[in-house]
Amino acid sequence: MATYSLVIRRLMIVSLTIVVSRAITSPLLTLFLSNKLGLNQQDVGLLLGIAVFIATLLALYGGYIIDRLEKRRLLILAMLSSAIGFVLLTFAENLYLTTLTLVITETASALFLIGSKAILSENLPMGQRAKAFSLRYTLTNIGYATGPMLGVVIAGVYPIAPFLIAGAIAFFSIFLMSGIPRDSAQTPAIGQPQSFLKTLITLKNDRTLIMFTCGCLLSTVVHGRFTLYLSQYLLVTHDSKRALETMAALLACNAISVILLQYQIGRFLKREQLRYWIAGGTSLFILGLIGFSLADSLVSWCVAMFIFTLGEMIIYPAEFLFVDTLAPEELRGSYYGAQNLAALGGALSPVICGFLLMHTPAPTMFYALSALTAMGGFLCFMSGRRVALQQK
């Protein structure tokens, strides 16, 4: 951390605090909404899915705005929106107002993610970006490893307190960002900016970006919300007590592996071999999924989880580096916003897996997911090959 500039150091710290604010509420949100609005779990899942879907589409325009305006101010606006949204959720009584609040918080989260990626790219030389993104992802996982436990403990004392504390953390994070001085790297591009429609046409005409985003979407079905389909599978194949014990061990294995190894792996990623790294990460996903389908003990589950996590540690920074390589300087935010559409794969994951668990033998789910990630990895590999040919 000490080797980076003030901008990068504060961005790293804020990334951690914002993740903690979201993670504190994550294990409580479905139960909280169910109690407040009187909805069953299926309806709550639909509500959250709708909010994520709308927010992901809005993030496409958010990426365009990030290219036009000062990124630091937009990140401050995103943090302020998150803070207000968390507090408003404690007053959730009306379905439509609650949906609007969830859309605001999800959009703010996506905007912060896209904006922080753009700031990292603009303030670091190419050789340092993979290591910095891996460090940021490590901090993110530290937040997700500690936040949910903290939220459950706090909720035991006062049920709405986690949402109020999450809002307070997001609000006070603003002061870290506001202390960052403006510099030329964070000002809008000189010249007449093109319209949003022309930006969409530019994105549509970039076949490599479209192919890569489709590949990322298929892969995100597998790694975006893997905790959801693993818990679905365990509840179908095990009794509830053993399912919870296994899930706790898998989450711990995933978090510890990422915290210890993510930065080290990120140091070795090179732009010239990105397509091979992506192929390797995809192969590790497939091996991990097959391992899940064959696991018959806690040790075998954890071994499969470790292999799966190695794939995750490669894919996340590799996707960032690929879009960073592909994006023109003046459209960096727009390209990140377009690639963020792959997050829709995470929303599809529990739907696809739930259908497979209901209508096929349980292990079939993992083989179907293996096929999806293989197709996604192939599209990403071909995208990397096209970039390599264009650069020759």
Side-chain angles (χ1 to χ4, degrees):
M1 288 280 282
T3 61
Y4 296 117
S5 67
L6 174 66
V7 175
I8 301 302
R9 290 201 305 271
R10 292 205 175 189
L11 182 63
M12 293 289 188
I13 296 170
V14 170
S15 296
L16 174 60
T17 57
I18 289 298
V19 165
V20 169
S21 72
R22 288 183 61 82
I24 284 176
T25 63
S26 62
L28 310 166
L29 189 57
T30 55
L31 180 62
F32 181 80
L33 292 175
S34 178
N35 292 338
K36 275 281 191 176
L37 301 175
L39 301 175
N40 60 40
Q41 288 302 308
Q42 182 177 348
D43 290 337
V44 171
L46 180 61
L47 173 62
L48 293 173
I50 290 171
V52 171
F53 180 78
I54 295 173
T56 303
L57 294 181
L58 289 175
L60 183 62
Y61 184 71
Y64 168 78
I65 294 297
I66 284 170
D67 287 328
R68 307 275 74 82
L69 304 176
E70 188 195 354
K71 296 171 180 59
R72 182 189 61 126
R73 289 185 179 178
L74 287 172
L75 260 61
I76 289 173
L77 176 62
M79 289 185 282
L80 181 60
S81 300
S82 291
I84 294 172
F86 285 129
V87 174
L88 286 179
L89 278 176
T90 62
F91 299 98
E93 300 289 349
N94 181 280
L95 177 62
Y96 300 106
L97 182 61
T98 302
T99 304
L100 177 62
T101 304
L102 289 171
V103 169
I104 290 172
T105 55
E106 292 292 336
T107 304
S109 176
L111 187 65
F112 182 88
L113 178 63
I114 295 167
S116 61
K117 285 180 179 179
I119 291 177
L120 276 177
S121 294
E122 292 181 350
N123 287 275
L124 286 173
M126 283 191 178
Q128 295 184 22
R129 291 175 190 172
K131 290 189 288 186
F133 187 75
S134 289
L135 177 58
R136 180 185 175 279
Y137 188 60
T138 301
L139 293 173
T140 296
N141 277 274
I142 291 174
Y144 276 119
T146 57
M149 292 183 290
L150 185 60
V152 170
V153 171
I154 296 171
V157 178
Y158 188 49
I160 68 169
F163 296 91
L164 298 176
I165 291 173
I169 292 173
F171 179 76
F172 285 109
S173 299
I174 292 172
F175 296 101
L176 282 171
M177 285 301 295
S178 60
I180 296 175
R182 291 184 58 178
D183 61 37
S184 58
Q186 296 181 28
T187 55
I190 297 173
Q192 185 67 29
Q194 64 182 32
S195 66
F196 180 56
L197 181 59
K198 287 185 177 179
T199 300
L200 286 179
I201 293 173
T202 301
L203 296 173
K204 180 181 74 70
N205 291 335
D206 192 329
R207 304 295 182 185
T208 305
L209 175 67
I210 293 174
M211 183 187 297
F212 185 74
T213 301
C214 290
C216 290
L217 190 149
L218 291 174
S219 295
T220 304
V221 173
V222 175
H223 67 76
R225 301 287 178 94
F226 68 88
T227 55
L228 293 180
Y229 67 73
L230 284 179
S231 59
Q232 287 175 299
Y233 177 85
L234 288 168
L235 288 171
V236 168
T237 57
H238 298 70
D239 61 78
S240 58
K241 182 181 178 181
R242 189 179 173 194
L244 289 174
E245 289 174 351
T246 304
M247 200 65 214
L250 294 179
L251 290 174
C253 177
N254 176 259
I256 293 170
S257 299
V258 171
I259 291 169
L260 292 179
L261 298 176
Q262 176 68 67
Y263 182 68
Q264 304 305 322
I265 289 175
R267 294 169 58 192
F268 294 103
L269 291 181
K270 303 296 181 185
R271 292 173 183 272
E272 297 77 16
Q273 295 96 31
L274 272 182
R275 63 187 186 276
Y276 301 112
W277 280 100
I278 290 173
T282 300
S283 300
L284 289 168
F285 278 148
I286 294 172
L287 287 175
L289 289 166
I290 293 173
F292 290 145
S293 72
L294 301 175
D296 57 1
S297 67
L298 191 59
V299 172
S300 56
W301 273 104
C302 288
V303 170
M305 185 77 255
F306 178 72
I307 296 171
F308 186 92
T309 303
L310 286 176
E312 179 189 0
M313 288 188 279
I314 292 171
I315 290 296
Y316 272 103
E319 289 179 352
F320 162 76
L321 273 184
F322 188 90
V323 178
D324 184 66
T325 302
L326 200 62
E329 202 67 38
E330 70 280 3
L331 292 176
R332 201 170 292 278
S334 298
Y335 268 65
Y336 286 133
Q339 195 269 333
N340 188 65
L341 292 174
L344 293 174
L348 292 173
S349 179
V351 178
I352 294 172
C353 293
F355 176 83
L356 290 172
L357 287 172
M358 286 180 63
H359 296 93
T360 65
T364 304
M365 178 188 78
F366 292 119
Y367 302 125
L369 291 174
S370 297
L372 287 176
T373 197
M375 288 189 289
F378 175 75
L379 289 176
C380 291
F381 182 86
M382 295 306 295
S383 302
R385 188 181 178 190
R386 290 183 66 166
V387 171
L389 292 174
Q390 291 168 4
Q391 291 175 344
K392 286 184 180 180

